[in-house]
Structures are given as C-alpha cells and as structure tokens.
Amino acid sequence: TFQRQLQQSDCQNALMKKVFDTHMLFLQINQSAAALKHVFAALRLFVAKFPSAFFQGQADLCGSLCYEILKCCNHRSRSTQTEASALLYFFMRKNFEFNKQKSIVRSHLQLIKAVSQLIADAGIGGSRFQHSLAIINNFANGDKQMKNVNFPAEVKDLTKRIRTVLMATAQMKEHEKDPEMLVDLQYSLANSYASTPELRRTWLESMAKIHARNGDLSEAAMCYIHIAALIAEYLKRKGLFSMGWPAFLSITPNIK
C-alpha cells in the first residue's frame, strides 16, 4: 500500500525504519517454530521488494537483520535453523545480484560484525551454529544458477572467516578464568582486523566489556579511547575532521 513512500530516498526513510523494526520485533520476541516460518517468508518478500534498504546507503538495517538471522541460526529447533540458514543464503544472493554480480562485500562485513557481537552477547559457536554454516555452504554448492560466477566462492570464504572467529573465541573460552590471557586474545583478534575499522571497533568494544566486568575501568577506558581515535582517523581521511588520532595524544601516548 505504501510502496512509493517506502521507496523514497532509496528506501532510507523513517517509514521504512518503522516497518523494518516491526519485522525485527517478531525475531526479538520468542515465537513458536510455526510462527517463525511465516516471519522468514515475510522477510524474504521484504528483502526481495526493497533490496536498496539493505544494500545501499547506511548499513544499519543490513546489520540488524544479519544479527537477528544469525541468532536464529543458533536456535534449538532444527527446522528454524534450516529456515534461518535459507534466509541468510537468500539475503547474500540478493546482495550479489544487487551489486551486479560483483561481490557481497556489505553482507560479508555485517555478518562478521554480527558474529563478533553475538559471541559477546549470546555465546554462539556450538554444533547448532556449525550445522547452520554447513547448510549455507550446501546451498552455495547446489545453486545451479550461480555455478559460473564467483558467488559460491564468496560464500565459502565468508563461512571460513566466521569459523576462524569462532575458533579464536573457543580459545578465549579456555582462558575465561584468566582475564589477562583472554584480553590478549581479544586484542590480537582486534589487530587482525586492522584493515577493517568497523570490525576492529567491534572487538575493541568486546574487550572493553570484559575489562569493565573485571573492574578494570582504566583499561576499559583505553579501549574506548582507541575506538574514538579510529573514528577520528576515519573522519580525517573523509575530510570531515582535521586532527585524526593525534587529537587523543594529550590523554595517552598509547594512542599511537
């Protein structure tokens, strides 16, 4: 009914946000497996109708959807896991088609970011989640229409990277009673994403949470200063802020 209004400004508008948030509520509040089946069908239709809401402009909607679908990939119900994996595969494929079959760079970034957040929030990564990753890979291998393009390879690369993050997290689990070792692992993971500031920020936020939990408030503050410096440096390169990271030198020489 409101398709024209929803498509205004390339789907980046307040009405679209409200409709999207309503869809997300169905995933944020516990539902029966039967209800979730219909929610996933509605989301498939929603993504198919308004792809630019997810793959153009701001990445907020894309990130929120990735987070909620991944949470469902860890669901107790096998049917819900399968439905969530199918929706995620469909979402990545739509991203690939939207980018004129070049890449899935946005969904790739937002999914890795969501995995990193979910590890801190919900402790994903067990056999249920691994099963969902295997389903997504099977979809990529069996998709005849995508046989002659690099989409299956991109999906495999993404699932491989997710597994790497999960392996690093498993190591962290072993050292959860050793806060220094745990934060050390988090720090090396944050540094491994030096070329992807958004993910580096996610891991620094995760580190800050651990420090705050342990009562190490000055260390938590350091993490937040590093996040602020990352953003400042990004804004400087965009020509929106003159100083970049040196703006924080008066607080700590560590910022270098």
Side-chain angles (χ1 to χ4, degrees):
T1 309
F2 297 99
Q3 196 152 344
R4 191 172 50 79
Q5 290 96 315
L6 284 165
Q7 283 173 330
Q8 273 174 1
S9 315
D10 282 329
C11 297
Q12 311 288 316
N13 58 69
L15 183 64
M16 173 57 81
K17 179 88 174 80
K18 281 183 181 172
V19 173
F20 175 76
D21 286 347
T22 308
H23 277 81
M24 287 300 95
L25 267 176
F26 285 105
L27 294 178
Q28 287 155 358
I29 299 167
N30 284 335
Q31 308 289 348
S32 68
L36 279 172
K37 203 173 172 137
H38 294 291
V39 175
F40 291 135
L43 281 167
R44 271 197 300 276
L45 189 63
F46 189 55
V47 172
K49 259 194 159 159
F50 304 107
S52 50
F54 302 97
F55 309 127
Q56 210 165 298
Q58 295 285 320
D60 302 4
L61 303 194
C62 181
S64 302
L65 184 61
C66 288
Y67 182 89
E68 295 300 338
I69 302 174
L70 279 173
K71 220 159 70 176
C72 293
C73 287
N74 206 37
H75 202 275
R76 285 189 306 276
S77 155
R78 269 289 159 105
S79 65
T80 300
Q81 276 178 45
T82 307
E83 289 274 347
S85 305
L87 175 58
L88 203 50
Y89 180 75
F90 173 81
F91 186 70
M92 290 190 280
R93 193 178 155 165
K94 276 280 163 225
N95 188 182
F96 189 71
E97 287 165 0
F98 188 83
N99 282 354
K100 299 184 173 55
Q101 301 205 335
K102 286 195 187 84
S103 73
I104 56 165
V105 67
R106 173 167 286 195
S107 48
H108 182 123
L109 178 63
Q110 294 304 320
L111 282 164
I112 295 278
K113 191 179 167 198
V115 167
S116 310
Q117 287 169 329
L118 276 164
I119 286 163
D121 301 347
I124 60 163
S127 57
R128 291 199 296 239
F129 194 72
Q130 296 287 356
H131 175 70
S132 294
L133 290 180
I135 292 171
I136 292 165
N137 266 332
N138 289 342
F139 278 133
N141 292 333
D143 195 336
K144 290 191 174 80
Q145 286 174 303
M146 292 286 165
K147 231 178 178 70
N148 299 319
V149 289
N150 67 337
F151 178 65
E154 292 223 9
V155 173
K156 267 191 198 130
D157 177 53
L158 173 59
T159 52
K160 191 175 154 193
R161 280 172 184 266
I162 290 173
R163 285 198 174 100
T164 305
V165 171
L166 294 174
M167 269 166 60
T169 313
Q171 276 186 298
M172 288 177 201
K173 199 107 187 98
E174 282 174 42
H175 298 286
E176 62 187 349
K177 300 269 189 300
D178 180 353
E180 279 82 12
M181 186 66 182
L182 179 60
V183 169
D184 221 38
L185 285 164
Q186 288 254 354
Y187 182 63
S188 59
L189 202 52
N191 282 349
S192 72
Y193 286 111
S195 60
T196 317
E198 205 169 339
L199 293 177
R200 191 167 185 207
R201 176 194 159 174
T202 303
W203 281 106
L204 285 167
E205 277 173 347
S206 194
M207 271 174 75
K209 279 181 192 169
I210 292 171
H211 280 312
R213 244 194 340 256
N214 296 329
D216 301 327
L217 300 184
S218 56
E219 284 85 347
M222 274 293 176
C223 293
Y224 287 123
I225 291 167
H226 273 278
I227 291 167
L230 260 181
I231 294 167
E233 192 58 27
Y234 177 78
L235 292 174
K236 184 188 177 186
R237 290 174 191 202
K238 283 254 183 188
L240 299 168
F241 180 62
S242 61
M243 285 185 79
W245 65 264
F248 297 90
L249 265 174
S250 58
I251 303 172
T252 170
N254 241 343
I255 212 67
K256 278 185 184 176

